[in-house]
Amino acid sequence: MLERGLAELGQPLPGEAADKLLAYLELLAKWNRVHNLTAIRDPLKMVSHHLLDSLAVRPHLPAGALADIGSGGGLPGIPLAIAEPARPVTLNDANQKKGAFLQQAVIELRLDNTHVHLGRVQAWQPAQQFACVITRGFAELSQLIADCRHLLLPDGVIAAMKGVLPIDELSRVPPDADCRDVRRLQVPMLGADRHLVLCRCSA
């Protein structure tokens, strides 16, 4: 199912990367039995709703360092880090148990390009800013921009993964943020609306 989905996305991956994606799902399912990292427990649904959903954004993201905010169970950051081993990725979450899972996943999956930052994003002052800050269900757009804009390089992008087109949220973004770049995503075997909102903020 994963191989078919990757082919439909036009993202064939080396065998080692595909194996790591499946190993990640096994680790997620194992920890989920105790820590409730995801509501989805069906392994096949995990492929479509977690792996393919995360990887569908890849062609739309700028190159460079990426921060996954409110990463939780590592989505979308871990699948993106596996698919793009040359891209620096930082996973952020404020929850201690989720942070412990993220640290364990980075170690077990040998994600040399990936680091974990535990703490509230509003207080985070990274040594180097990011080309892209991505989130999946972290907050509505106006709050997301307020919380994360300080993490961006001057030409950086906030990438917000959404379900249906968030018309109301788009109407409330601050005037110094441009969120008109909205991409509709086609996620194989998902059967639900998915959109990616790309926001650029004025200095």
Side-chain angles (χ1 to χ4, degrees):
M1 184 176 176
L2 175 60
E3 189 175 334
R4 192 177 95 212
L6 291 171
E8 288 185 33
L9 284 174
Q11 297 187 33
L13 297 176
E16 182 185 351
D19 289 344
K20 275 191 180 183
L21 288 170
L22 294 176
Y24 161 63
L25 281 194
E26 287 183 17
L27 188 63
L28 181 62
K30 176 182 172 183
W31 276 64
N32 199 47
R33 288 193 284 270
V34 177
H35 296 298
N36 195 30
L37 298 171
T38 171
I40 297 172
R41 299 179 183 275
D42 179 342
L44 293 181
K45 275 193 175 180
M46 282 188 168
V47 171
S48 57
H49 287 64
H50 290 338
L51 297 185
L52 299 178
D53 189 46
S54 296
L55 294 173
V57 305
R58 272 184 73 203
H60 308 283
L61 302 180
L66 178 142
D68 175 15
I69 304 303
S71 187
L75 298 159
I78 288 178
L80 291 171
I82 291 171
E84 301 186 12
R87 182 197 286 271
V89 173
T90 301
L91 310 172
N92 162 258
D93 206 280
N95 181 281
Q96 292 276 355
K97 290 180 180 177
K98 291 175 180 176
F101 168 75
L102 295 174
Q103 293 278 17
Q104 189 63 29
V106 168
I107 293 167
E108 286 201 24
L109 300 171
R110 298 180 182 177
L111 301 179
D112 296 334
N113 60 329
T114 307
H115 296 87
V116 176
H117 176 79
L118 183 63
R120 295 176 69 249
V121 65
Q122 297 90 339
W124 185 16
Q125 297 295 330
Q128 293 184 315
Q129 292 170 304
F130 298 93
C132 181
V133 168
I134 193 165
T135 70
R136 192 173 89 149
F138 175 71
E140 77 158 53
L141 288 171
S142 58
Q143 187 64 53
L144 176 61
I145 292 165
D147 288 347
C148 297
R149 63 189 307 160
H150 68 284
L151 302 176
L152 291 174
L153 289 167
D155 58 348
V157 173
I158 294 174
M161 296 172 67
K162 298 289 182 178
V164 296
L165 183 65
I167 295 172
D168 288 345
E169 290 185 37
L170 286 165
S171 71
R172 293 193 293 270
V173 299
D176 60 348
D178 183 352
C179 298
R180 291 173 295 175
D181 189 354
V182 181
R183 318 278 177 96
R184 186 172 185 196
L185 304 174
Q186 298 291 335
V187 182
M189 296 167 272
L190 189 61
D193 282 348
R194 286 291 187 269
H195 291 83
L196 183 69
V197 182
L198 301 174
C199 299
R200 295 165 176 84
C201 303
S202 302

